[in-house]
Structure formats: C-alpha cells, structure tokens
Amino acid sequence: MTTSNSVHVSVLGLGAMGSALASALVKAGYATTVWNRSPGKAEDLVAQGAEAAATAGDAVRAGGLVIACLLDHASVHEVLDPLSDDLAGRTLINVTTTSPAQSRELAAWAARAGVAYLDGGIMAVPPMIGRPGSSILYSGSAEVFHQYKPLLDLWGTSTYFGEDAGLASLYDLALLAGMYVMYAGFLHGAAMVAPAGVTAGEFAAMATPWLTAMTGGFEGFAAVIDGGDYTVEGQQSLEFSDLGDLLAASSDQGISTEVVDMVQRLIRRQIDAGHGEEGFARIFESIRHANS
Ligand code: NDP
C-alpha cells in the first residue's frame, strides 16, 4: 500500500474549489499536478509549486491519486470516460457535487474500470478550505478513505459514512435542505417586519442568536424520533404549535404566506390524523411518508 504522504496527486478542475484544494496540497508539500479544461487557471498554483499538465490524460498518468473537482456528474464522465485505461489501478477521489444516484453510478463505473473510488461532498466554500469550519463528507472505499485521511484532513474535518458511495452526497443534500429551509424561514421573518420599517440587518441581529439557540432543540426532536414515541411528556404539542396566528400576522403585513403555509400543512396533516396532543417532532412522519 502506498502511504499517503508519498503519493503524487493530480487535481482535475481548477475552478474556485479545485484551486483551493490543490493549493492546500501544494502548501503541505505534496507533489501535485494540476489540469484545467480552459487554459490560464494553473498559473497561481504553478507559482506555488504545482506542475501543470497539458491534458487530463497527462495529469492522470502523472500520479497515483486523482482528485476530480469538476462541475457536475456529466463533466466527470466527459473528462474521465476516455481515460479509463489510464485510471485502472489508480485511485479516484471525486469531490464534484453529484446526486446520491450519480455517485453510485460513478462508483460502479470506477469498479468496472479497476479504479478505487471515494466520493466526497464538500461542506465549505473555497476560502474555508484548510480552515476551521470546513467539513468534507466521504463514502465509498473505506480503504481509500483511511489510506488518504491525513491528506483529506488538510482540507477540513473528514467524515466517512460507509461503503455505499451515495451516502456522502445524501448527507450533503440533506444538510443543504435543512439550511435552505432555515434561510427561507429567516427571510420570511425579515419580510414580515419590513413593512414596519425594520431593516433586514436589524432583523438579522435579533434572528441570529434566536435561531442559534433554537438549534438546541434538534437533539430533543431526534431523541423522540429515534425512540419512536411522540407521546413522551414534556414536548410542545402539535395543537399548541398551530401556526394560525403566524399566518394571520403575515397576511396582515401583506406578505406571502408560502413558507409558513408549508409547515402548517405538515402540522395539520398530523392533527387531522388524530395526533394533535403529540409532540411537534411528529411532523417528521408527514415528511417521511408523503401521504401520512
Ligand atoms: P467553478 O464553476 O469555479 O469551476 C468548475 C470547474 O469545472 C472548472 O474547472 C471548469 O473548467 C470545470 N468544468 C466544467 N465543465 C467541464 C467539462 N465539461 N469538462 C471539463 N471541465 C469542466 O466551480 P467550483 O470550483 O466552485 O466547484 C467545483 C465543484 O465543487 C462543483 O461540483 C461544486 O458543486 C462543488 N462545490 C463547490 C463549492 C463552492 O462554494 N464553490 C461548495 C461545495 C461544493 P473551465 O475552467 O474550463 O470552465
């Protein structure tokens, strides 16, 4: 087995993210070859000590470990399909954003080509790479993850979810789902107070500590869901959580109620099914079973 610190790494794709990943490798002393479809994006990295390859094939052949950070699933195939013979026997870590199904498809493609495959989902923006708060999720080959963990840890906290290559992407998208719905909730609140002359900045100053404190509720919801008993004492009931007042106040402010309507529908489905006295976490059932 090759040790990670002696491996020659090739990075395919020098967009904002690929460049940040490659730069961290070069700074850590890894021999790094870089390639980008359009010319002119390797210059900074070459100045830092990377080698630029003229073609993706040259880059793949230069190293034992290939990092793909391209645009999407289609671009990964476009670049790598013609190179399957060169990739055979090498290791591919693909951190391009793909869906779980696309990650599994790429893992199967890699297996057929004789390529060890690890899929990654990046939970960071490029300036965060190598800094506190950067997190990258992985699934696929456990052997690849453990062999290259010191290298992966250069980019951020590395978490491995299992051999199913789609799991990292699934977690990635689930976390993003939580983020976008929370952002929509914040923006709904900002729109609610705007007609009263409150700026979004003033509202953000109030919302940030409030929503941060409310994330403390996740573990309690999780305990109820995992315990499978929504009647546990001490929870806020669904009937208590009815959002009628919130919807009326939003309408009075003349704003859209779409964001809150969505949550109210999930609550109402459970109340209408006779679960009004059970805890708020029960809307998990409305979401998990589209028709329950
Ligand atoms: P950019 O748009 O900055 O770069 C895209 C890269 O993909 C470029 O190198 C581009 O090459 C290349 N590319 C696109 N299509 C093709 C193709 N058909 N063949 C070859 N190369 C191609 O994106 P990022 O670097 O920001 O993102 C890269 C990946 O990282 C994406 O999957 C993204 O979702 C993911 N990611 C990015 C984050 C971010 O905040 N930026 C956060 C988390 C994940 P060219 O220069 O020739 O166009």
Side-chain angles (χ1 to χ4, degrees):
M1 183 187 282
T2 316
T3 58
S4 58
N5 56 8
S6 65
V7 73
H8 188 119
V9 192
S10 299
V11 179
L12 307 179
L14 303 178
M17 186 55 84
S19 295
L21 300 177
S23 178
L25 297 178
V26 174
K27 282 182 189 144
Y30 281 90
T32 307
T33 296
V34 295
W35 171 82
N36 194 66
R37 175 182 61 175
S38 312
K41 290 198 178 170
E43 284 154 16
D44 284 353
L45 289 160
V46 168
Q48 290 171 37
E51 289 170 40
T55 68
D58 288 346
V60 167
R61 288 184 292 272
L65 171 62
V66 176
I67 311 292
C69 187
L70 299 163
L71 184 66
D72 56 12
H73 176 253
S75 60
V76 175
H77 271 302
E78 193 176 323
V79 173
L80 297 184
D81 281 359
L83 300 174
S84 57
D85 288 347
D86 293 308
L87 278 167
R90 291 185 159 88
T91 295
L92 173 62
I93 300 179
N94 176 38
V95 291
T96 308
T97 301
T98 52
S99 71
Q102 290 170 339
S103 299
R104 290 179 188 121
E105 186 281 330
L106 281 164
W109 174 89
R112 288 195 300 276
V115 180
Y117 184 84
L118 185 68
D119 201 89
I122 303 174
M123 307 304 296
V125 292
M128 288 170 68
I129 295 300
R131 295 179 186 278
S134 170
S135 159
I136 308 193
L137 317 179
Y138 296 97
S139 58
S141 166
E143 194 180 345
V144 172
F145 177 77
H146 293 299
Q147 182 179 353
Y148 291 109
K149 188 161 183 304
L151 181 154
L152 303 177
D153 287 346
L154 292 171
W155 295 332
T157 303
S158 314
T159 309
Y160 177 72
F161 293 99
E163 293 275 347
D164 172 356
L167 278 176
S169 165
L170 186 63
Y171 268 92
D172 180 343
L173 298 177
L175 290 166
L176 289 177
M179 180 192 80
Y180 278 113
V181 177
M182 180 190 69
Y183 281 171
F186 161 71
L187 294 168
H188 178 90
M192 249 178 117
V193 294
V198 180
T199 67
E202 287 166 339
F203 185 68
M206 296 302 296
T208 301
W210 165 249
L211 292 176
T212 302
M214 289 303 98
T215 61
F218 293 169
E219 285 187 6
F221 291 143
V224 170
I225 292 165
D226 293 341
D229 180 6
Y230 296 103
T231 67
V232 172
E233 295 283 315
Q235 300 179 76
Q236 178 173 312
S237 74
L238 281 164
E239 266 154 10
F240 186 85
S241 308
D242 183 278
L243 305 183
D245 289 348
L246 217 157
L247 286 163
S250 300
S251 295
D252 289 348
Q253 293 297 85
I255 70 164
S256 161
T257 58
E258 286 164 283
V259 173
V260 182
D261 276 336
M262 176 268 290
V263 185
Q264 177 76 328
R265 276 198 303 277
L266 298 171
I267 293 170
R268 289 289 349 157
R269 282 223 315 269
Q270 292 303 320
I271 293 175
D272 292 347
H275 302 293
E277 290 178 9
E278 298 178 30
F280 181 79
R282 196 176 173 105
I283 70 166
F284 178 74
E285 298 297 326
S286 296
I287 299 165
R288 183 162 62 165
H289 306 292
N291 298 315
S292 76

